[in-house]
Amino acid sequence: MSAPVTDVYAPGTLQEAVDRILRVPDEHRTFAKDAAFAEQTWAIGPALLEALLDHGLPHRGEGEQRRFERTDLHNISTYLNLPSPYFQALTRKARSMDEVARKGEQHLHALELRADCAEPGHTGECTFATIPGLNRHSEPGSLRETAPGVFSVRAQLPSNSLVFDEDRSDLLSLVADWELYVLPDGVIEDEGFSRETRLANCLIPTRLLLREAERRGIRARHGAGLLVAPPYTTLHHWVEFELDGDWVPADPVLLTAFSRWGMTDPADWPYNRSVAGIVWHLLTWPPEVFFPVVRDRGVQAPVHIASR
């Protein structure tokens, strides 16, 4: 029998979790997820869900008809370190990143990309193609289409222990105390919201750092590609600095999140350390928030990415 919710969480913890998501205005919520989704996807069981409701978790409807905002459930789950598949995957990746970096080895990952039809119902067959960067930055000869819309590829990610110099570290400190947060669509590109709340996705601090780097005369570029965290791999944005002819990735908000979630030791992984080994560069200066990795008939196709 599991312990009561009140025995698991310190006084005020659940209220802090709810107060944090309440920084997002209610107008940006779409109440479409039920209690089963909260439990199966985000490990928020019935007792915990009821306790969160008592602390003011936004919802619509009553009883079995209660519906919740998807990003609220995601963010509460990670804030409470609940063992969702997402959180467990990030934990494994952070630990693997640390282990491989200590050995000085490359990170090697096998990825499978499964694309869906970009425009269901169109005439003719789907024609899937990966973006050029997927082949350009992968292990030579490893990219193969194994079935229509299904691609396998191997990624080689370097590892280093570089801590950036004073100028770049000072730049990165501008967002080092921001909290990594899955934002709803209404504020997904709203820098003003992130400045006010200190809640941010990966895109907003990247754009801010690039603008400030240009003002300070620091050569930087927008890196985009994949955050490789087996078994899940997701789209990601970060900033890169040119050092001795190489582009070196930085992501202070991600490293601060790893530390806050207890996945890494902040003494070993400070906000101003490179994240080489966890991000796979595929694009530079992407125009879209959700940039394409696979296209179908020239249109961005939904894609599911598994990695090991």
Side-chain angles (χ1 to χ4, degrees):
M1 183 174 179
S2 60
V5 170
T6 53
D7 291 345
V8 175
Y9 296 99
T13 300
L14 297 185
Q15 190 63 60
E16 291 169 2
V18 172
D19 287 346
R20 182 171 176 263
I21 65 168
L22 290 177
R23 299 181 209 171
V24 177
D26 209 39
E27 66 194 71
H28 300 303
R29 290 184 167 85
T30 301
F31 297 95
K33 299 301 182 181
D34 61 12
F37 177 83
E39 182 170 16
Q40 295 165 9
T41 304
W42 296 112
I44 302 175
L48 177 56
L49 187 61
E50 289 297 329
L52 290 166
L53 285 164
D54 289 342
H55 286 82
L57 174 65
H59 67 284
R60 293 291 183 270
E62 297 298 331
E64 294 184 358
Q65 300 304 313
R66 283 187 303 212
R67 294 296 181 266
F68 306 92
E69 161 60 30
R70 171 186 59 86
T71 58
D72 287 346
L73 299 175
H74 184 148
N75 290 303
I76 281 179
S77 181
T78 53
Y79 184 81
L80 297 177
N81 292 15
L82 299 180
S84 69
Y86 171 85
F87 193 84
Q88 291 175 324
L90 280 182
T91 300
R92 286 194 294 271
K93 183 54 196 173
R95 290 174 179 170
S96 174
M97 176 184 72
D98 183 53
E99 180 181 351
V100 175
R102 290 177 186 277
K103 294 179 180 178
E105 298 174 347
Q106 280 193 327
H107 298 243
L108 301 174
H109 298 287
L111 282 71
E112 181 183 75
L113 296 82
R114 291 182 171 269
D116 295 327
C117 179
E119 299 176 327
H122 65 73
T123 58
E125 295 183 353
C126 292
T127 304
F128 295 104
T130 60
I131 60 173
L134 197 68
N135 184 50
R136 187 180 305 129
H137 298 289
S138 63
E139 184 180 88
S142 69
L143 178 60
R144 295 184 298 117
E145 187 171 14
T146 58
V150 181
F151 300 88
S152 63
V153 67
R154 285 178 60 84
Q156 293 181 317
L157 308 182
S159 181
N160 63 47
S161 57
L162 175 71
V163 175
F164 292 102
D165 60 25
E166 183 177 354
D167 288 344
R168 290 167 181 81
S169 295
D170 184 62
L171 171 62
L172 296 173
S173 71
L174 295 176
V175 297
D177 66 341
W178 289 17
E179 296 182 62
L180 189 62
Y181 196 90
V182 179
L183 298 174
D185 291 343
V187 290
I188 205 165
E189 296 184 73
D190 190 340
E191 184 179 315
F193 170 83
S194 289
R195 283 181 176 275
E196 179 181 352
T197 64
R198 318 306 272 184
L199 304 176
N201 56 17
C202 57
L203 175 66
I204 292 172
T206 295
R207 289 178 172 173
L208 182 153
L209 291 172
L210 288 167
R211 190 172 64 249
E212 184 62 20
E214 181 178 18
R215 190 186 72 81
R216 299 185 184 197
I218 296 174
R219 186 163 168 76
R221 72 178 186 183
H222 189 153
L226 301 178
L227 173 61
V228 185
Y232 300 104
T233 289
T234 58
L235 300 182
H236 199 59
H237 298 261
W238 61 90
V239 65
E240 297 180 352
F241 299 120
E242 186 182 35
L243 297 173
D244 300 323
D246 293 325
W247 290 98
V248 183
D251 194 335
V253 177
L254 180 64
L255 289 183
T256 299
F258 279 168
S259 174
R260 184 180 291 114
W261 294 332
M263 298 176 181
T264 57
D265 185 342
D268 294 327
W269 290 93
Y271 73 89
N272 57 342
R273 179 170 173 169
S274 169
V275 290
I278 193 171
V279 294
W280 188 18
H281 181 113
L282 300 179
L283 294 165
T284 305
W285 302 104
E288 308 100 331
V289 178
F290 300 106
F291 48 85
V293 177
V294 178
R295 292 188 175 94
D296 171 23
R297 298 156 59 99
V299 178
Q300 179 175 350
V303 62
H304 307 275
I305 307 173
S307 59
R308 55 182 175 82

